[in-house]
Amino acid sequence: MFEAVLLTVITAATPLLIAALGELVVERSGVLNLGVEGMMIMGAVVGFAVANQTGSGFLGVVAAVGAGMAMSALFGFLVLVLVTNQVATGLALTILGIGFSGMIGEAFIGVPGLKIPELYIPVLSDIPFIGPVFFQQDAIVYLSFALVAAVAYFLFRTRLGLVLRAVGDNHGSAHALGYSVIRIRFAAVLFGGACAGLAGAYMSLAYTPQWVENMTAGRGWIALALVVFSSWLPLRVVVGAYLFGAVSVLNLHAQAVELDIPSQLLSSLPYLATILVLVLISANRRLTLVNTPACLGKPFVPDR
Amino acid sequence: MRIELVKRKEHSQMMAMLSPLIAVALTALAAGIIFSISGHNPLVGLYKFFIEPLTQQWSFEATIDKATPLILIACGLSVCYLSNNWNIGAEGQFVIGALFGSILPVLFPSFENAATLPLMLIFGAIGGALWALVPALLKTRFNTNEILTSLMLVYVASLVLDYLVRGPWRDPDGYNFPESRIFSDAATLPEVFGGAMSLSAPITILIAIILAIVLAKTLKGFEIRVMGESPRAGSFAGFSAKGLTLFSFALAGALAGLAGTMEVSGALNQLLPSISPGYGFTAIIVAFLGRLNPIGIIIAGFVLALSYIGGEGVQSAMGVTNEIASVIQGLLLFFVLACDTLILYRIRFVSRHGSQGEASHV
C-alpha cells in the first residue's frame, strides 16, 4: 500500500518538479514568466498529438519540448526585445496556450493515448522497496532527477551559471561588464519553455495518457509557487514538488478508503496548500530576500 | 538585422490613441491567417467573427449581454493595475459574488419583495470583496505574492460552486440535475429597453462613468495613479501603499461580485456548476485594451464580447472550434502589449554593422 502511494506521489510530482526547475532558471536570470501554465498545456497537447500520429512516444516528447520553446520564444521576444510588461505578457501566454491547446486537441478528445514505457534499471530495481519506487519509472522521471543535479551544478558551479545569476541580480552591472543581458535571458527563457513543454508531455503521455481539455488544471501556477517556496534553490524545489505531489494524490487515496469528505474539498487542497506555503515562506523575510533575484521582473533596455 | 528601441523624448500621444487600433488590426490579420491554415476562407471567417454579430439585432444584444460583466470586472481590475496591485483572481471573485448573491433566492425562496433584488446585489458585492480581500490581506500582512494567491483562489472558488450546486444547494425538484432552483421573479433582474437587455447594462455603464470621474477628478484617483507610478513619491505625500492595496482589491472584488450576481440573476436565473466562460480572465485583456481607463474599457469590453459571439458564430457556420475565441483573445493581449511599446519608444531596424557609434537614446 505505502509503496503504491509513493509511486503515485512520484508521478504527480514529476511535472511540477520539471516545470518549476525551468522557471527557477528563468527567474534566476531576472525574468518572471507567468506563462508556465500555457506552455505546459501546449506541451501536453502537442506531445499527445504527435505521439498519437507517429506512434512514437519519443517523438511526442521532442515535439512537446519544441512547442514549449516556441511559446517561450514568443514571450521572450515581447518581454526582452519590445520590453512589454512581464506579468501581463505571461498571462497572455497562458490565455493563448489554453486556447490553442483546445483547438489542436479537439480532434483527440476521447482518443486512447500512448503511455511512454517504464524502464527498469537493472540491479538497482531489484532493491526491495527503493527499487520499485525509484528505479522502475519512465525515462522522464529519471530525466527529472538528472535535471535537478544539472541545474544545481550549472547555477552554482559553472562560470556561465554565475553570469546568469549576475544578470538576474544586477543587469546594469552585468551589461557594463560586457555580458549580453538580453541573449542570456533569452536562453534562460527558452530553457524554461523546454522544461514546461516536457512537463506537459509528462501529463499527457505518462500521468494520464489521454487528452482532456485544461488537463494541467493549474499545475503551471503551482510550479510558479514552488519556485518561491524553494527560495530559488534547486534542491528545495525537489522537496516542494514531492510535498505537493503528496497533497494532490490525497484525493485518489481518500476515495479508495471511502472517507466521507466532499471530493471538491480534497481537490482544493493543493491550491489551499499553495496559499498556506506561500504565506509561511513570504512571512519570513530573511528566507526570501537572500536568494530572490534582485532584478526579477524589472525591464532592461540596453544602453547602446 | 537587429531591432533597437530608441526612447522617445516624451510619450507619444498619437501612439497612445493608435496603439489599441493597430493591435486590433494585427489581431484580425493573425486571425485571418489562422482561418486559412485551418482550411477556411479567411475573409468569410473574419466577417462572421467580427462583423456579423453586429448586423442582427439578437446577436447585437447578445454581444452587449456578454460585454456587461467584462466591462464591470475590468473597471475594478484597472484600479488594481493602476496602483500596481496584480489581482488576477477576478474569476474567483465573480463566482463567489454570484454565490453570495444567490443566498436569498436559493435558501429563502419565499422571500419575495421589492427588497430582494437590491439585497442580492449588495450581498454579491460583499462576497466578491471578501474573497478579494484574502490575497490583499496576505500581501499587506505577510508580503505574499498576490498574483499566485488570487489565482489559487479561482480554483478554490469554482470547487466551492461545484460542491454547493451538486450538494446542499441542488434543486430539490430538479430531477437530480446539478443545478440550483430557478430564481423567482422578484430575484430576477428586470429587462429594459423593451426586453432587449437586462438592467445590468445601464448599471454597468453608470458605474464606469462614476469611476472615470473619480479617477480623473478626485484625490483618490490621484492617489491611485501616484502610487502606481512611484510608490516612494506617494509615501512622501502621505499615501499608504497597504491601504491602497486593500482598497483596490476590495473594489475590484466588489465589482466582480456584483457582475457575478447580475449574471446569475439576469442571464442564467439559476446557479450551474459553471457560470462563467472565463469572464474574469478576459476582463484582464479588456482592462489593458481599454488602457486602464473606464471609458476605454467600455469600448474594449464590447470588442472582446464580440469574440465570444463571433466564436460561437464561426463554430456553427464554419465548423471551426469555438476555442478560436480564446486564441484570438490571447493574441489580442499580445498585440496590445507589443503596440504599447510604441508609446514610449521608436523602433529602429539596424543592420549588424551600421550605427554602432550612434548614441541616440535619451
Side-chain angles (χ1 to χ4, degrees), chain B residues 21-220:
Chain B
L21 299 178
I22 301 175
V24 171
L26 287 172
T27 306
L29 187 69
I33 293 171
I34 293 173
F35 280 124
S36 347
I37 290 174
S38 54
H40 301 277
N41 182 334
L43 291 177
V44 176
L46 286 176
Y47 175 80
K48 292 224 175 278
F49 201 95
F50 290 106
I51 311 289
E52 201 176 67
L54 303 173
T55 57
Q56 273 162 330
Q57 199 189 345
W58 71 267
S59 54
F60 185 75
E61 285 162 7
T63 309
I64 290 180
D65 269 348
K66 285 264 188 293
T68 309
L70 292 175
I71 293 168
L72 196 53
I73 300 168
C75 277
L77 290 181
S78 69
V79 172
C80 282
Y81 299 160
L82 278 172
S83 62
N84 231 341
N85 285 297
W86 289 96
N87 174 9
I88 58 173
E91 182 81 4
Q93 293 144 25
F94 178 92
V95 167
I96 298 294
L99 287 181
F100 268 65
S102 305
I103 290 175
L104 288 180
V106 172
L107 297 181
F108 306 97
S110 54
F111 176 70
E112 287 180 71
N113 59 36
T116 311
L117 198 61
L119 277 175
M120 283 168 63
L121 296 180
I122 291 168
F123 278 19
I126 290 173
L130 288 176
W131 202 249
L133 275 171
V134 175
L137 280 167
L138 295 179
K139 180 184 181 180
T140 53
R141 178 76 183 78
F142 299 109
N143 196 26
T144 310
N145 181 320
E146 78 274 23
I147 298 173
L148 294 172
T149 48
S150 64
L151 195 101
M152 288 296 128
L153 288 172
V154 172
Y155 293 96
V156 178
S158 65
L159 286 164
V160 172
L161 169 68
D162 194 75
Y163 167 70
L164 286 176
V165 171
R166 290 175 199 278
W169 284 17
R170 184 158 59 189
D171 183 1
D173 310 318
Y175 305 103
N176 255 345
F177 279 111
E179 53 192 37
S180 79
R181 64 172 80 239
I182 300 205
F183 294 179
S184 66
D185 286 348
T188 303
L189 269 187
E191 292 179 329
V192 291
F193 301 126
M197 58 188 85
S198 85
L199 193 62
S200 60
I203 293 177
T204 296
I205 299 296
L206 185 69
I207 290 175
I209 291 170
I210 292 171
L211 188 66
I213 295 168
V214 168
L215 283 176
K217 304 281 183 206
T218 65
L219 181 64
K220 194 73 192 169

Side-chain angles (χ1 to χ4, degrees), chain A residues 82-83 99 213 221 264 304, chain B residues 4-5 151 162 323 326 341:
Chain A
L82 296 181
V83 218
E213 243 182 84
W221 297 102
Q264 291 93 343
R304 292 193 177 91
Chain B
E4 212 168 76
L5 298 182
L151 195 101
D162 194 75
E323 296 288 339
S326 66
T341 304

Side-chain angles (χ1 to χ4, degrees), chain A residues 32 34 37 71 74-75 77-78 80-85 87-93 95-96 98-104 106 183 213 217-219 221-222 224-225 228 262-265 267-272 274-275 278-280 282-285 288-289 301-304, chain B residues 2-5 34 38 81 86 88 134 138 141-145 147-153 155-156 158-160 162-164 166-167 281-282 284-285 288 315 319-324 326-331 333-335 337-339 341 345 347 352 356 358-361:
Chain A
L32 180 66
L34 292 184
E37 178 84 5
M71 296 280 285
L74 191 63
F75 172 84
F77 177 74
L78 260 87
L80 299 173
V81 178
L82 296 181
V83 218
T84 59
N85 180 303
V87 173
T89 312
L91 287 174
L93 197 68
I95 295 171
L96 190 68
I98 290 174
F100 260 129
S101 67
M103 264 183 93
I104 299 169
E106 205 189 23
R183 227 173 277 172
E213 243 182 84
R219 284 183 180 77
W221 297 102
I222 293 180
L224 276 158
V228 181
S263 70
Q264 291 93 343
L265 177 65
S267 304
S268 67
L269 280 181
Y271 310 113
L272 292 171
T274 307
I275 295 174
L278 282 173
V279 167
L280 292 176
S282 313
N284 187 341
R285 290 189 83 84
T288 44
L289 286 181
V301 182
D303 163 342
R304 292 193 177 91
Chain B
R2 196 177 59 193
I3 298 169
E4 212 168 76
L5 298 182
I34 293 173
S38 54
Y81 299 160
W86 289 96
I88 58 173
V134 175
L138 295 179
R141 178 76 183 78
F142 299 109
N143 196 26
T144 310
N145 181 320
I147 298 173
L148 294 172
T149 48
S150 64
L151 195 101
M152 288 296 128
L153 288 172
Y155 293 96
V156 178
S158 65
L159 286 164
V160 172
D162 194 75
Y163 167 70
L164 286 176
R166 290 175 199 278
F281 295 110
T282 308
I284 297 171
I285 307 173
F288 279 102
Q315 185 185 27
V320 183
T321 160
N322 75 346
E323 296 288 339
I324 194 161
S326 66
V327 172
I328 287 176
Q329 291 174 1
L331 285 173
L333 182 51
F334 266 123
F335 285 122
L337 295 167
C339 291
T341 304
Y345 302 96
I347 290 189
R352 282 241 170 262
Q356 285 292 338
E358 225 180 306
S360 51
H361 75 282

Side-chain angles (χ1 to χ4, degrees), chain A:
Chain A
M1 169 73 186
F2 188 60
E3 199 177 286
V5 173
L6 253 167
L7 273 171
T8 53
V9 169
I10 290 185
T11 38
T14 299
L16 296 175
L17 175 58
I18 297 173
L21 271 177
E23 179 67 15
L24 184 140
V25 173
V26 178
E27 294 193 13
R28 275 283 184 176
S29 82
V31 179
L32 180 66
N33 184 355
L34 292 184
V36 180
E37 178 84 5
M39 300 188 290
M40 219 168 141
I41 193 86
M42 279 296 279
V45 74
V46 170
F48 185 91
V50 170
N52 184 281
Q53 294 293 306
T54 62
S56 157
F58 177 73
L59 284 180
V61 171
V62 171
V65 169
M69 287 177 89
M71 296 280 285
S72 66
L74 191 63
F75 172 84
F77 177 74
L78 260 87
V79 157
L80 299 173
V81 178
L82 296 181
V83 218
T84 59
N85 180 303
Q86 297 186 4
V87 173
T89 312
L91 287 174
L93 197 68
T94 291
I95 295 171
L96 190 68
I98 290 174
F100 260 129
S101 67
M103 264 183 93
I104 299 169
E106 205 189 23
F108 297 99
I109 294 173
V111 175
L114 190 118
K115 191 173 183 336
I116 48 173
E118 267 112 38
L119 300 172
Y120 289 16
I121 301 207
V123 188
L124 291 178
S125 61
D126 295 335
I127 306 173
F129 188 71
I130 294 178
V133 173
F134 289 103
F135 299 107
Q136 297 185 6
Q137 297 280 359
D138 52 71
I140 299 182
V141 173
Y142 301 133
L143 188 59
S144 75
F145 299 156
L147 217 51
V148 175
V151 166
Y153 180 81
F154 168 77
L155 280 177
F156 300 105
R157 292 279 179 275
T158 67
R159 202 185 139 69
L160 203 57
L162 179 69
V163 173
L164 182 109
R165 285 186 289 134
V167 165
D169 276 327
N170 192 332
H171 50 216
S173 303
H175 178 68
L177 286 172
Y179 295 113
S180 172
V181 173
I182 303 229
R183 227 173 277 172
I184 290 163
R185 285 190 172 162
F186 216 113
V189 165
L190 285 177
F191 177 76
C195 287
L198 180 64
Y202 190 81
M203 290 296 304
S204 65
L205 294 174
Y207 189 68
T208 45
Q210 56 179 323
W211 166 251
V212 183
E213 243 182 84
N214 276 330
M215 65 185 293
T216 50
R219 284 183 180 77
W221 297 102
I222 293 180
L224 276 158
L226 280 176
V227 180
V228 181
F229 169 84
S230 73
S231 52
W232 293 268
L233 295 172
L235 293 179
R236 286 196 200 155
V237 173
V238 185
V239 179
Y242 280 79
L243 219 64
F244 272 88
V247 175
S248 59
V249 298
L250 262 182
N251 204 353
L252 232 61
H253 295 288
Q255 276 166 8
V257 293
E258 289 176 15
L259 280 181
D260 193 22
I261 302 173
S263 70
Q264 291 93 343
L265 177 65
L266 288 166
S267 304
S268 67
L269 280 181
Y271 310 113
L272 292 171
T274 307
I275 295 174
L276 182 70
V277 158
L278 282 173
V279 167
L280 292 176
I281 298 285
S282 313
N284 187 341
R285 290 189 83 84
R286 219 161 27 91
L287 208 64
T288 44
L289 286 181
V290 176
N291 292 312
T292 313
C295 287
L296 185 59
K298 291 192 184 140
F300 175 72
V301 182
D303 163 342
R304 292 193 177 91

